[in-house]
């Protein structure tokens, strides 16, 4: 079956996406040639975006975070827009994403499970008050709450666990899907990568620029996800 035929045969699609969905919006991924792991900083990126580094060197963390993790001008691409359209048509149940950029919501998607959190949510570590992204971008050093506490992005750093409620929602959505589309992810980040095993539906599709092996995949497309989804009805 072609991808269009699979979509036409689907009533409950779940899209599971990673960094590759946002690279076409100008947001670098972690592992590509131009990704964060290949940039030169005083500390390795994976160390900077760890919980222990955030606690020990918050100034260095925020310097890197503002420079390399926030892309306020990024716009949704054809993949984000098509997924939002499918949700409005009632054939897409949810988007499960490993991205923190909020582009799915900007595109119009409503049922989005953000496994790794969002740059758009930030909270005071002292009193718990929530702040928008501007609280981070408009502060020159460490963003502070009016109570004096340090503001932390509501994103999952290395050494931190995914929220149990997000895991439960993602697993439930995947279990109940008749079609699972995996897009823009190398499926190497756990535990998220292990969620695929909960799928028992009809169609499993993989869309990724680089080759990855997924057992039970009915269709694997090695191409730009924006180009592929954007060409569909």
């Amino acid at each position: 079956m072609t991808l269009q035929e699979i979509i036409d045969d689907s009533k409950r699609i779940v899209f599971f996406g990673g960094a590759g969905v946002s690279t076409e919006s100008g947001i670098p991924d972690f592992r590509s040639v131009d990704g964060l792991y290949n940039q030169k900083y005083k500390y390795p990126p994976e160390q900077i975006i760890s919980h222990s580094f955030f606690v020990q060197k918050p100034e260095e963390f925020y310097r890197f975070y503002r420079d390399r993790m926030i892309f306020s001008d990024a716009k949704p691409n054809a993949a984000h827009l098509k997924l939002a359209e499918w949700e409005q048509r009632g054939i897409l149940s949810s988007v499960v994403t490993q991205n923190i950029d909020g582009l799915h919501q900007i595109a119009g998607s409503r049922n989005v499970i953000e496994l790794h959190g969002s740059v758009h949510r930030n909270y005071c570590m002292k009193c718990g008050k929530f702040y928008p992204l501007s609280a981070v971008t408009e502060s020159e050093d460490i963003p502070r709450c009016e109570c004096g506490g340090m503001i932390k992005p509501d994103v999952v750093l290395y050494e931190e666990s995914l929220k149990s409620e997000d895991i439960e929602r993602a697993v439930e959505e995947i279990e109940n899907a008749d079609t699972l589309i995996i897009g823009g992810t190398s499926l190497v980040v756990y535990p998220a990568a292990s969620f695929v095993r909960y799928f028992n539906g009809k169609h499993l599709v993989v869309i990724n620029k680089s080759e990855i092996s997924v057992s039970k995949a009915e269709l694997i497309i090695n191409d730009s996800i924006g180009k592929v989804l954007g060409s569909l009805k």
Side-chain angles (χ1 to χ4, degrees), residues 109-124:
S109 290
R110 301 193 175 191
N111 191 19
V112 182
I113 303 170
E114 296 173 303
L115 295 175
H116 295 163
S118 172
V119 297
H120 296 281
R121 296 189 303 270
N122 304 272
Y123 65 93
C124 173

Side-chain angles (χ1 to χ4, degrees), residues 71-96:
F71 296 86
S72 303
D73 296 330
K75 300 289 190 294
N77 60 55
H80 298 105
L81 297 172
K82 181 58 67 175
L83 292 168
E85 178 191 317
W86 286 348
E87 184 184 58
Q88 290 166 1
R89 281 169 51 191
I91 62 172
L92 185 136
S93 172
S94 65
V95 170
V96 181

Side-chain angles (χ1 to χ4, degrees), residues 57-159:
K57 298 181 183 292
E59 300 93 342
E60 286 286 338
F61 171 88
Y62 272 110
R63 190 173 298 120
F64 177 88
Y65 184 77
R66 289 190 189 95
D67 184 38
R68 302 302 304 168
M69 303 293 285
I70 297 174
F71 296 86
S72 303
D73 296 330
K75 300 289 190 294
N77 60 55
H80 298 105
L81 297 172
K82 181 58 67 175
L83 292 168
E85 178 191 317
W86 286 348
E87 184 184 58
Q88 290 166 1
R89 281 169 51 191
I91 62 172
L92 185 136
S93 172
S94 65
V95 170
V96 181
T97 181
Q98 299 175 80
N99 297 336
I100 61 175
D101 49 52
L103 289 179
H104 286 292
Q105 289 92 331
I106 294 171
S109 290
R110 301 193 175 191
N111 191 19
V112 182
I113 303 170
E114 296 173 303
L115 295 175
H116 295 163
S118 172
V119 297
H120 296 281
R121 296 189 303 270
N122 304 272
Y123 65 93
C124 173
M125 298 177 71
K126 186 176 179 181
C127 74
K129 180 178 178 179
F130 269 81
Y131 285 88
L133 179 58
S134 57
V136 174
T137 58
E138 294 174 6
S139 62
E140 293 183 1
D141 196 0
I142 301 171
R144 295 280 179 185
C145 175
E146 53 194 25
C147 78
M150 184 164 67
I151 295 174
K152 180 185 184 296
D154 188 17
V155 299
V156 180
L157 303 176
Y158 285 116
E159 304 167 350

Side-chain angles (χ1 to χ4, degrees), residues 31 53 80 88 90 99 129 143 162 174 181 190 212 218:
R31 291 173 176 82
F53 191 93
H80 298 105
Q88 290 166 1
N99 297 336
K129 180 178 178 179
L162 303 188
I174 290 170
I181 300 176
Y190 282 82
I212 58 172
E218 176 181 354

Side-chain angles (χ1 to χ4, degrees), residues 1-10 82 86 89 91 219 221 228-229 231-233:
M1 294 179 78
T2 65
L3 181 53
Q4 186 63 65
E5 288 171 335
I6 289 172
I7 300 305
D8 293 342
D9 187 51
S10 303
K82 181 58 67 175
W86 286 348
R89 281 169 51 191
I91 62 172
L219 182 63
I221 302 173
V228 173
L229 294 191
S231 68
L232 298 172
K233 295 177 185 177

Side-chain angles (χ1 to χ4, degrees), residues 2-29:
T2 65
L3 181 53
Q4 186 63 65
E5 288 171 335
I6 289 172
I7 300 305
D8 293 342
D9 187 51
S10 303
K11 293 183 173 63
R12 191 179 177 92
I13 301 169
V14 169
F15 179 80
F16 181 90
V21 179
S22 294
T23 52
E24 291 169 53
S25 294
I27 299 177
D29 67 6

